[in-house]
């Protein structure tokens, strides 16, 4: 299929992009990597009057370490994040997550900001952002603001992004030396969106877990933080009993609904399997 006709503007600056968004309102869409947007245009799931291309805005791309925080510009390509030594050192969960996202050709174009803005419930990066306690930096008509990733995702493809706002960066606290990260998922084929996945981040002090953040994707309308499972793991060493306790606590955290891939009972079963796998990775010293 072909998209409905649209106008195209290549923004020369962030201010110009914001002015255009203010001018066209609901009729405009920001074009980043285009890996999701162009498909929705071609399928006529979306028919904006204007595309505002932000690909020329170098100020939105790049990775910097500022005051203990890794600041990843919204336009930074997923492939750049995958290959970044800073990310591997300071937020290794993102490095681990990248190979699960589509294929290299998609990651060469797809951006972190596009994935966070799209908020696909089965996407890896929104869940990783919540697991890492990241903050989303936005700019809009009222100026800049920053929101916790955990509150940013509101529902199915629904975020806290307000009218005329763009994501400018994702800010990730640098992982502490004792921090451990892990990710696992089930997908029908490698590179497909996950049927269900789990991103985990915790501190491991003398073998005992602290600040456990387990975040599921593909199991609800948005990333789901398993707070009950996290709570039963606090202060415990990862052994069979701890894994079983966390698995049992999932009944309080998850209320999966059936989707194209699996029924609710299967999803809950897979969530238990992923919990064991992710905890094993954390125990094994995954960074
Ligand atoms: C074959 C294929 C397989 C894929 N598999 C996966 C997968 O397994 N896991 C996964 O997570 N993703 C997957 N994707 C999606 C891919 O990661 C996309 O690149 C990503 O979701 C969107 O990023 P983008 O830069 O391409 O955004 P675009 O497609 O350009 O935009 C997506 C949406 O976000 C908005 N947007 C983009 N940037 C901003 C910004 N800075 N501020 C505000 N709004 C913005 C756009 O207006 C649009 O509504 C797949 C894509 C393809 C084509």
């Amino acid at each position: 299929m072909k998209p409905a006709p649209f106008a195209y503007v290549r923004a020369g600056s962030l201010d110009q992009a914001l002015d255009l968004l203010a001018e066209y309102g609901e009729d405009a869409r920001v074009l980043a990597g285009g890996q999701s947007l162009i498909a929705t245009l071609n399928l006529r799931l979306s028919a904006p009057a204007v595309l505002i291309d932000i690909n020329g805005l170098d100020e939105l791309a790049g990775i910097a370490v500022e005051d203990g925080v890794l600041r990843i510009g919204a336009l930074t390509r997923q492939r750049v994040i995958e290959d970044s030594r800073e990310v591997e050192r300071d937020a290794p969960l993102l490095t681990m997550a990248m190979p699960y996202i589509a294929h290299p050709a998609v990651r060469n174009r797809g951006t972190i900001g596009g994935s966070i803005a799209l908020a696909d419930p089965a996407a890896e990066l929104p869940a990783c952002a919540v697991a890492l306690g990241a903050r989303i930096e936005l700019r809009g008509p009222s100026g800049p603001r920053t929101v916790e990733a955990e509150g940013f995702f509101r529902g199915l493809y629904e975020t806290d992004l307000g009218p005329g706002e763009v994501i400018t960066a994702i800010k990730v606290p640098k992982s502490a030396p004792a921090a451990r990260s892990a990710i696992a998922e089930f997908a029908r084929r490698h590179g497909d969106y996950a049927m269900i996945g789990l991103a985990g981040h915790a501190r491991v002090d003398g073998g005992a877990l602290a600040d456990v953040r387990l975040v599921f994707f593909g199991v609800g309308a948005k990333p789901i933080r398993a707070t009950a499972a996290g709570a039963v793991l606090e202060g415990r060493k990862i052994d069979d009993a701890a894994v079983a306790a966390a698995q049992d606590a999932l009944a309080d955290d998850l209320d999966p609904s059936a989707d194209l891939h699996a029924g609710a009972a299967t999803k809950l079963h897979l969530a238990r399997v992923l919990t064991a796998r992710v905890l094993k990775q954390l125990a094994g010293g995954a960074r």
Side-chain angles (χ1 to χ4, degrees):
M1 282 178 68
K2 291 196 170 132
F6 56 84
Y8 168 90
V9 186
R10 187 169 170 88
S13 68
L14 179 55
D15 285 340
Q16 190 200 1
L18 293 172
D19 288 346
L20 288 164
L21 276 174
E23 185 181 341
Y24 290 100
E26 275 298 294
D27 287 333
R29 286 285 177 286
V30 166
L31 173 66
Q35 297 301 299
S36 298
L37 181 59
I38 298 299
T40 63
L41 298 187
N42 288 344
L43 292 167
R44 300 215 175 189
L45 295 170
S46 174
V50 187
L51 289 194
I52 302 167
D53 186 346
I54 58 170
N55 281 276
L57 305 185
D58 291 344
E59 63 211 273
L60 290 186
I63 298 167
V65 184
E66 301 169 352
D67 300 330
V69 171
L70 197 60
R71 184 181 184 280
I72 306 177
L75 197 63
T76 310
R77 309 287 168 191
Q78 293 156 1
R79 193 58 191 258
V80 170
I81 295 169
E82 185 173 359
D83 291 342
S84 160
R85 293 175 71 176
E86 288 87 355
V87 173
E88 189 180 21
R89 183 190 62 209
D90 294 334
L93 180 58
L94 297 178
T95 312
M96 294 172 194
M98 286 303 161
Y100 288 107
I101 301 175
H103 305 284
V106 173
R107 299 198 294 274
N108 280 340
R109 294 296 303 164
T111 65
I112 187 169
S115 181
I116 298 286
L118 183 68
D120 189 299
E124 290 79 6
L125 291 177
C128 290
V130 175
L132 290 169
R135 294 169 66 80
I136 314 298
E137 188 189 273
L138 308 165
R139 224 172 102 188
S142 323
R145 70 184 178 107
T146 307
V147 291
E148 297 284 344
E150 197 162 353
F152 181 75
F153 302 103
R154 293 212 171 147
L156 196 63
Y157 298 103
E158 192 192 337
T159 68
D160 192 36
L161 206 53
E165 277 189 321
V166 297
I167 299 176
T168 48
I170 318 302
K171 297 175 113 174
V172 185
K174 276 176 72 168
S175 286
R180 296 285 177 267
S181 296
I183 186 167
E185 72 175 46
F186 288 106
R188 289 199 178 270
R189 295 171 306 186
H190 178 77
D192 281 4
Y193 274 104
M195 291 168 67
I196 177 171
L198 174 60
H201 189 68
R203 271 191 300 115
V204 183
D205 287 336
L209 292 171
D211 300 332
V212 185
R213 296 172 76 96
L214 298 174
V215 183
F216 283 92
F217 47 102
V219 76
K222 59 180 186 170
I224 308 281
R225 186 163 167 204
T227 49
V232 303
L233 290 165
E234 283 294 323
R236 291 183 77 155
K237 293 202 165 164
I238 302 172
D239 53 19
D240 290 347
V243 171
Q247 287 174 319
D248 289 345
L250 293 177
D252 293 329
D253 287 318
L254 304 179
D255 183 16
S257 42
D259 61 19
L260 284 174
H261 300 295
T266 304
K267 289 237 176 187
L268 207 46
H269 170 72
L270 295 178
R272 292 175 67 95
V273 175
L274 288 177
T275 299
R277 288 187 184 174
V278 161
L279 290 177
K280 200 170 161 193
Q281 283 183 46
L282 292 177
R287 254 223 83 206

mmCIF file of all heavy atoms in Angstrom, residues 30-66:
data_model
loop_
_atom_site.group_PDB
_atom_site.id
_atom_site.type_symbol
_atom_site.label_atom_id
_atom_site.label_comp_id
_atom_site.label_asym_id
_atom_site.label_seq_id
_atom_site.Cartn_x
_atom_site.Cartn_y
_atom_site.Cartn_z
ATOM 1 N N VAL A 30 6.449 13.799 13.992
ATOM 2 C CA VAL A 30 7.903 13.864 13.934
ATOM 3 C C VAL A 30 8.408 12.599 13.239
ATOM 4 O O VAL A 30 7.957 11.498 13.539
ATOM 5 C CB VAL A 30 8.476 13.933 15.364
ATOM 6 C CG1 VAL A 30 9.969 13.671 15.373
ATOM 7 C CG2 VAL A 30 8.154 15.279 16.000
ATOM 8 N N LEU A 31 9.328 12.762 12.302
ATOM 9 C CA LEU A 31 9.957 11.612 11.646
ATOM 10 C C LEU A 31 11.379 11.461 12.186
ATOM 11 O O LEU A 31 12.218 12.337 11.988
ATOM 12 C CB LEU A 31 9.998 11.828 10.128
ATOM 13 C CG LEU A 31 10.782 10.789 9.322
ATOM 14 C CD1 LEU A 31 10.109 9.413 9.386
ATOM 15 C CD2 LEU A 31 10.940 11.227 7.859
ATOM 16 N N ALA A 32 11.623 10.331 12.871
ATOM 17 C CA ALA A 32 12.993 10.041 13.346
ATOM 18 C C ALA A 32 13.565 8.963 12.426
ATOM 19 O O ALA A 32 13.776 9.216 11.240
ATOM 20 C CB ALA A 32 12.951 9.636 14.811
ATOM 21 N N GLY A 33 13.743 7.739 12.927
ATOM 22 C CA GLY A 33 14.295 6.683 12.071
ATOM 23 C C GLY A 33 13.308 6.173 11.030
ATOM 24 O O GLY A 33 13.693 5.533 10.057
ATOM 25 N N GLY A 34 12.029 6.440 11.261
ATOM 26 C CA GLY A 34 10.989 6.064 10.305
ATOM 27 C C GLY A 34 10.671 4.577 10.280
ATOM 28 O O GLY A 34 9.837 4.129 9.501
ATOM 29 N N GLN A 35 11.315 3.788 11.151
ATOM 30 C CA GLN A 35 11.161 2.324 11.074
ATOM 31 C C GLN A 35 9.783 1.854 11.531
ATOM 32 O O GLN A 35 9.339 0.779 11.148
ATOM 33 C CB GLN A 35 12.260 1.637 11.899
ATOM 34 C CG GLN A 35 13.645 1.913 11.380
ATOM 35 C CD GLN A 35 13.800 1.457 9.933
ATOM 36 O OE1 GLN A 35 13.662 0.288 9.632
ATOM 37 N NE2 GLN A 35 14.065 2.394 9.034
ATOM 38 N N SER A 36 9.112 2.664 12.321
ATOM 39 C CA SER A 36 7.730 2.349 12.703
ATOM 40 C C SER A 36 6.765 3.299 12.006
ATOM 41 O O SER A 36 5.723 2.876 11.499
ATOM 42 C CB SER A 36 7.555 2.461 14.222
ATOM 43 O OG SER A 36 8.393 1.532 14.864
ATOM 44 N N LEU A 37 7.125 4.565 11.957
ATOM 45 C CA LEU A 37 6.199 5.560 11.395
ATOM 46 C C LEU A 37 5.884 5.291 9.931
ATOM 47 O O LEU A 37 4.718 5.339 9.515
ATOM 48 C CB LEU A 37 6.799 6.971 11.572
ATOM 49 C CG LEU A 37 5.937 8.114 11.047
ATOM 50 C CD1 LEU A 37 4.572 8.141 11.731
ATOM 51 C CD2 LEU A 37 6.635 9.453 11.244
ATOM 52 N N ILE A 38 6.901 4.980 9.141
ATOM 53 C CA ILE A 38 6.660 4.800 7.699
ATOM 54 C C ILE A 38 5.747 3.592 7.459
ATOM 55 O O ILE A 38 4.866 3.625 6.598
ATOM 56 C CB ILE A 38 8.001 4.644 6.937
ATOM 57 C CG1 ILE A 38 8.854 5.920 7.095
ATOM 58 C CG2 ILE A 38 7.772 4.329 5.463
ATOM 59 C CD1 ILE A 38 8.225 7.197 6.557
ATOM 60 N N ALA A 39 5.923 2.556 8.277
ATOM 61 C CA ALA A 39 5.034 1.386 8.127
ATOM 62 C C ALA A 39 3.591 1.776 8.441
ATOM 63 O O ALA A 39 2.668 1.354 7.743
ATOM 64 C CB ALA A 39 5.503 0.265 9.049
ATOM 65 N N THR A 40 3.395 2.581 9.479
ATOM 66 C CA THR A 40 2.008 2.959 9.817
ATOM 67 C C THR A 40 1.414 3.876 8.745
ATOM 68 O O THR A 40 0.220 3.826 8.476
ATOM 69 C CB THR A 40 1.899 3.647 11.198
ATOM 70 O OG1 THR A 40 2.634 4.861 11.182
ATOM 71 C CG2 THR A 40 2.387 2.771 12.322
ATOM 72 N N LEU A 41 2.268 4.671 8.089
ATOM 73 C CA LEU A 41 1.760 5.503 6.978
ATOM 74 C C LEU A 41 1.382 4.601 5.805
ATOM 75 O O LEU A 41 0.310 4.755 5.207
ATOM 76 C CB LEU A 41 2.823 6.499 6.507
ATOM 77 C CG LEU A 41 3.341 7.553 7.487
ATOM 78 C CD1 LEU A 41 4.250 8.536 6.770
ATOM 79 C CD2 LEU A 41 2.200 8.294 8.143
ATOM 80 N N ASN A 42 2.267 3.665 5.472
ATOM 81 C CA ASN A 42 2.013 2.788 4.319
ATOM 82 C C ASN A 42 0.751 1.952 4.521
ATOM 83 O O ASN A 42 0.046 1.644 3.565
ATOM 84 C CB ASN A 42 3.210 1.873 4.071
ATOM 85 C CG ASN A 42 4.388 2.645 3.498
ATOM 86 O OD1 ASN A 42 4.222 3.764 3.023
ATOM 87 N ND2 ASN A 42 5.570 2.058 3.558
ATOM 88 N N LEU A 43 0.512 1.566 5.766
ATOM 89 C CA LEU A 43 -0.694 0.769 6.058
ATOM 90 C C LEU A 43 -1.917 1.673 6.286
ATOM 91 O O LEU A 43 -3.002 1.177 6.582
ATOM 92 C CB LEU A 43 -0.456 -0.093 7.307
ATOM 93 C CG LEU A 43 0.572 -1.213 7.118
ATOM 94 C CD1 LEU A 43 0.975 -1.810 8.457
ATOM 95 C CD2 LEU A 43 0.033 -2.297 6.201
ATOM 96 N N ARG A 44 -1.695 2.950 6.184
ATOM 97 C CA ARG A 44 -2.754 3.963 6.413
ATOM 98 C C ARG A 44 -3.381 3.843 7.795
ATOM 99 O O ARG A 44 -4.557 4.129 7.989
ATOM 100 C CB ARG A 44 -3.811 3.901 5.310
ATOM 101 C CG ARG A 44 -3.183 4.165 3.943
ATOM 102 C CD ARG A 44 -4.076 4.906 3.014
ATOM 103 N NE ARG A 44 -3.354 5.208 1.774
ATOM 104 C CZ ARG A 44 -3.828 5.999 0.834
ATOM 105 N NH1 ARG A 44 -4.991 6.594 0.973
ATOM 106 N NH2 ARG A 44 -3.129 6.236 -0.248
ATOM 107 N N LEU A 45 -2.538 3.408 8.750
ATOM 108 C CA LEU A 45 -2.980 3.445 10.141
ATOM 109 C C LEU A 45 -2.835 4.856 10.671
ATOM 110 O O LEU A 45 -3.360 5.213 11.723
ATOM 111 C CB LEU A 45 -2.132 2.494 11.000
ATOM 112 C CG LEU A 45 -2.265 1.017 10.653
ATOM 113 C CD1 LEU A 45 -1.221 0.188 11.384
ATOM 114 C CD2 LEU A 45 -3.671 0.538 11.011
ATOM 115 N N SER A 46 -2.054 5.666 9.962
ATOM 116 C CA SER A 46 -1.828 7.053 10.341
ATOM 117 C C SER A 46 -1.753 7.860 9.044
ATOM 118 O O SER A 46 -1.199 7.390 8.057
ATOM 119 C CB SER A 46 -0.510 7.138 11.128
ATOM 120 O OG SER A 46 -0.169 8.453 11.406
ATOM 121 N N ALA A 47 -2.354 9.043 9.059
ATOM 122 C CA ALA A 47 -2.342 9.868 7.840
ATOM 123 C C ALA A 47 -2.108 11.333 8.212
ATOM 124 O O ALA A 47 -2.991 12.181 8.025
ATOM 125 C CB ALA A 47 -3.656 9.701 7.078
ATOM 126 N N PRO A 48 -0.920 11.629 8.738
ATOM 127 C CA PRO A 48 -0.638 13.025 9.109
ATOM 128 C C PRO A 48 -0.538 13.901 7.858
ATOM 129 O O PRO A 48 -0.147 13.416 6.790
ATOM 130 C CB PRO A 48 0.709 12.934 9.831
ATOM 131 C CG PRO A 48 1.343 11.690 9.311
ATOM 132 C CD PRO A 48 0.230 10.742 8.983
ATOM 133 N N ALA A 49 -0.859 15.178 8.013
ATOM 134 C CA ALA A 49 -0.753 16.100 6.880
ATOM 135 C C ALA A 49 0.707 16.486 6.631
ATOM 136 O O ALA A 49 1.095 16.766 5.498
ATOM 137 C CB ALA A 49 -1.586 17.351 7.157
ATOM 138 N N VAL A 50 1.509 16.497 7.698
ATOM 139 C CA VAL A 50 2.903 16.960 7.597
ATOM 140 C C VAL A 50 3.834 16.035 8.375
ATOM 141 O O VAL A 50 3.529 15.668 9.514
ATOM 142 C CB VAL A 50 3.069 18.375 8.219
ATOM 143 C CG1 VAL A 50 4.472 18.908 7.965
ATOM 144 C CG2 VAL A 50 2.035 19.328 7.709
ATOM 145 N N LEU A 51 4.965 15.689 7.758
ATOM 146 C CA LEU A 51 6.034 15.005 8.492
ATOM 147 C C LEU A 51 7.132 16.020 8.764
ATOM 148 O O LEU A 51 7.593 16.704 7.838
ATOM 149 C CB LEU A 51 6.623 13.859 7.675
ATOM 150 C CG LEU A 51 5.793 12.603 7.462
ATOM 151 C CD1 LEU A 51 6.680 11.483 6.927
ATOM 152 C CD2 LEU A 51 5.097 12.167 8.732
ATOM 153 N N ILE A 52 7.547 16.084 10.015
ATOM 154 C CA ILE A 52 8.642 16.996 10.378
ATOM 155 C C ILE A 52 9.868 16.129 10.640
ATOM 156 O O ILE A 52 9.947 15.424 11.659
ATOM 157 C CB ILE A 52 8.271 17.824 11.622
ATOM 158 C CG1 ILE A 52 6.987 18.611 11.335
ATOM 159 C CG2 ILE A 52 9.409 18.748 12.014
ATOM 160 C CD1 ILE A 52 6.350 19.218 12.564
ATOM 161 N N ASP A 53 10.797 16.172 9.700
ATOM 162 C CA ASP A 53 11.975 15.305 9.750
ATOM 163 C C ASP A 53 13.015 15.932 10.676
ATOM 164 O O ASP A 53 13.498 17.044 10.420
ATOM 165 C CB ASP A 53 12.527 15.168 8.318
ATOM 166 C CG ASP A 53 13.671 14.180 8.229
ATOM 167 O OD1 ASP A 53 14.217 13.787 9.273
ATOM 168 O OD2 ASP A 53 14.032 13.811 7.086
ATOM 169 N N ILE A 54 13.360 15.192 11.753
ATOM 170 C CA ILE A 54 14.350 15.738 12.706
ATOM 171 C C ILE A 54 15.734 15.126 12.483
ATOM 172 O O ILE A 54 16.642 15.342 13.284
ATOM 173 C CB ILE A 54 13.894 15.530 14.172
ATOM 174 C CG1 ILE A 54 13.676 14.032 14.477
ATOM 175 C CG2 ILE A 54 12.629 16.335 14.466
ATOM 176 C CD1 ILE A 54 13.452 13.732 15.971
ATOM 177 N N ASN A 55 15.898 14.371 11.386
ATOM 178 C CA ASN A 55 17.168 13.650 11.199
ATOM 179 C C ASN A 55 18.388 14.546 11.023
ATOM 180 O O ASN A 55 19.509 14.108 11.233
ATOM 181 C CB ASN A 55 17.043 12.669 10.037
ATOM 182 C CG ASN A 55 16.314 11.411 10.454
ATOM 183 O OD1 ASN A 55 16.914 10.492 11.001
ATOM 184 N ND2 ASN A 55 15.001 11.382 10.244
ATOM 185 N N GLY A 56 18.165 15.812 10.651
ATOM 186 C CA GLY A 56 19.314 16.698 10.491
ATOM 187 C C GLY A 56 19.730 17.385 11.791
ATOM 188 O O GLY A 56 20.690 18.166 11.799
ATOM 189 N N LEU A 57 19.031 17.091 12.884
ATOM 190 C CA LEU A 57 19.293 17.835 14.127
ATOM 191 C C LEU A 57 20.368 17.139 14.966
ATOM 192 O O LEU A 57 20.076 16.340 15.853
ATOM 193 C CB LEU A 57 17.993 18.006 14.931
ATOM 194 C CG LEU A 57 16.834 18.651 14.164
ATOM 195 C CD1 LEU A 57 15.650 18.886 15.086
ATOM 196 C CD2 LEU A 57 17.285 19.960 13.515
ATOM 197 N N ASP A 58 21.619 17.477 14.683
ATOM 198 C CA ASP A 58 22.733 16.829 15.381
ATOM 199 C C ASP A 58 22.651 17.055 16.890
ATOM 200 O O ASP A 58 23.153 16.251 17.673
ATOM 201 C CB ASP A 58 24.067 17.371 14.855
ATOM 202 C CG ASP A 58 24.311 16.917 13.422
ATOM 203 O OD1 ASP A 58 23.630 15.966 12.980
ATOM 204 O OD2 ASP A 58 25.152 17.540 12.734
ATOM 205 N N GLU A 59 22.020 18.185 17.279
ATOM 206 C CA GLU A 59 21.922 18.481 18.712
ATOM 207 C C GLU A 59 21.103 17.421 19.454
ATOM 208 O O GLU A 59 21.168 17.322 20.678
ATOM 209 C CB GLU A 59 21.277 19.859 18.909
ATOM 210 C CG GLU A 59 19.845 19.955 18.405
ATOM 211 C CD GLU A 59 19.427 21.341 17.888
ATOM 212 O OE1 GLU A 59 18.998 22.161 18.691
ATOM 213 O OE2 GLU A 59 19.539 21.571 16.664
ATOM 214 N N LEU A 60 20.315 16.625 18.715
ATOM 215 C CA LEU A 60 19.491 15.588 19.358
ATOM 216 C C LEU A 60 20.190 14.236 19.383
ATOM 217 O O LEU A 60 19.633 13.268 19.909
ATOM 218 C CB LEU A 60 18.147 15.437 18.628
ATOM 219 C CG LEU A 60 17.147 16.581 18.760
ATOM 220 C CD1 LEU A 60 15.827 16.205 18.098
ATOM 221 C CD2 LEU A 60 16.902 16.915 20.227
ATOM 222 N N ALA A 61 21.372 14.145 18.769
ATOM 223 C CA ALA A 61 22.050 12.844 18.698
ATOM 224 C C ALA A 61 23.320 12.856 19.529
ATOM 225 O O ALA A 61 23.920 13.904 19.752
ATOM 226 C CB ALA A 61 22.379 12.519 17.245
ATOM 227 N N GLY A 62 23.704 11.693 20.017
ATOM 228 C CA GLY A 62 24.983 11.564 20.701
ATOM 229 C C GLY A 62 24.825 11.113 22.142
ATOM 230 O O GLY A 62 23.751 11.200 22.734
ATOM 231 N N ILE A 63 25.938 10.643 22.669
ATOM 232 C CA ILE A 63 25.961 10.061 24.014
ATOM 233 C C ILE A 63 26.994 10.826 24.834
ATOM 234 O O ILE A 63 28.128 11.015 24.394
ATOM 235 C CB ILE A 63 26.365 8.570 23.931
ATOM 236 C CG1 ILE A 63 25.319 7.805 23.095
ATOM 237 C CG2 ILE A 63 26.517 7.959 25.314
ATOM 238 C CD1 ILE A 63 25.746 6.413 22.688
ATOM 239 N N ALA A 64 26.599 11.290 26.013
ATOM 240 C CA ALA A 64 27.525 12.039 26.862
ATOM 241 C C ALA A 64 27.328 11.618 28.308
ATOM 242 O O ALA A 64 26.225 11.239 28.710
ATOM 243 C CB ALA A 64 27.269 13.532 26.725
ATOM 244 N N VAL A 65 28.395 11.676 29.085
ATOM 245 C CA VAL A 65 28.281 11.394 30.518
ATOM 246 C C VAL A 65 28.346 12.730 31.243
ATOM 247 O O VAL A 65 29.301 13.491 31.099
ATOM 248 C CB VAL A 65 29.425 10.468 31.000
ATOM 249 C CG1 VAL A 65 29.224 10.114 32.463
ATOM 250 C CG2 VAL A 65 29.476 9.204 30.161
ATOM 251 N N GLU A 66 27.265 13.032 31.994
ATOM 252 C CA GLU A 66 27.175 14.315 32.693
ATOM 253 C C GLU A 66 26.755 14.052 34.132
ATOM 254 O O GLU A 66 25.673 13.525 34.361
ATOM 255 C CB GLU A 66 26.103 15.218 32.042
ATOM 256 C CG GLU A 66 26.327 15.541 30.582
ATOM 257 C CD GLU A 66 25.098 16.211 29.941
ATOM 258 O OE1 GLU A 66 24.030 16.282 30.579
ATOM 259 O OE2 GLU A 66 25.231 16.640 28.790
#
